[in-house]
Amino acid sequence: MRVSGVDRALAALACLAGLLGVALSAAAAHVPGADSLKTAAQFLLFHAPAILALVGLGTAGFARSNLARVAAGLLVLGLILFCGDLSARTWLQQPLFPMAAPSGGFALMGGWLAGILCAWVPARRG
């Protein structure tokens, strides 16, 4: 079993999402009215294990590795846009850019859809 650099990067980004989720949870506990930070923290913490699972499934050969990478990559992109926008609105009092959060939400949904395909499309056996 060979792990690609892309898989390692996705796994590292998943762990970063978990770290940021914990940090935002702690920050939200100390910032009055930080409901957006709580939401961002939850999204980061919910999706970090999913990204790790997708990378693991692809690497272990239980899912097509390219499809698993696409799914994980869409989840990472979605987290950056969605959680980044919510955090920027809280800390900077302005969005990342117009439609960043909805774009991130669509990327997250696309990642989950690609995850469904990972479960249904058989892995190639060579």
Side-chain angles (χ1 to χ4, degrees):
M1 170 175 55
R2 190 172 147 286
V3 180
S4 76
V6 172
D7 294 325
R8 290 179 189 280
L10 287 168
L13 289 169
C15 292
L16 177 61
L19 180 149
L20 292 174
V22 173
L24 287 183
S25 292
H30 299 287
V31 175
D35 289 335
S36 292
L37 285 184
K38 289 178 188 174
T39 300
Q42 289 173 341
F43 269 70
L44 288 161
L45 290 170
F46 295 156
H47 287 85
I51 295 164
L52 288 172
L54 286 163
V55 170
L57 288 170
T59 302
F62 292 113
R64 291 188 183 208
S65 58
N66 287 341
L67 188 54
R69 287 181 192 125
V70 166
L74 283 168
L75 291 180
V76 168
L77 175 63
L79 289 176
I80 291 167
L81 293 174
F82 185 79
C83 299
D85 189 64
L86 293 181
S87 299
R89 288 172 188 270
T90 299
W91 297 111
L92 305 175
Q93 301 298 307
Q94 65 181 20
L96 282 178
F97 58 85
M99 301 297 291
S103 298
F106 277 110
L108 288 167
M109 288 186 279
W112 285 107
L113 179 61
I116 291 169
L117 293 175
C118 282
W120 284 103
V121 175
R124 292 185 187 142
R125 300 290 176 196

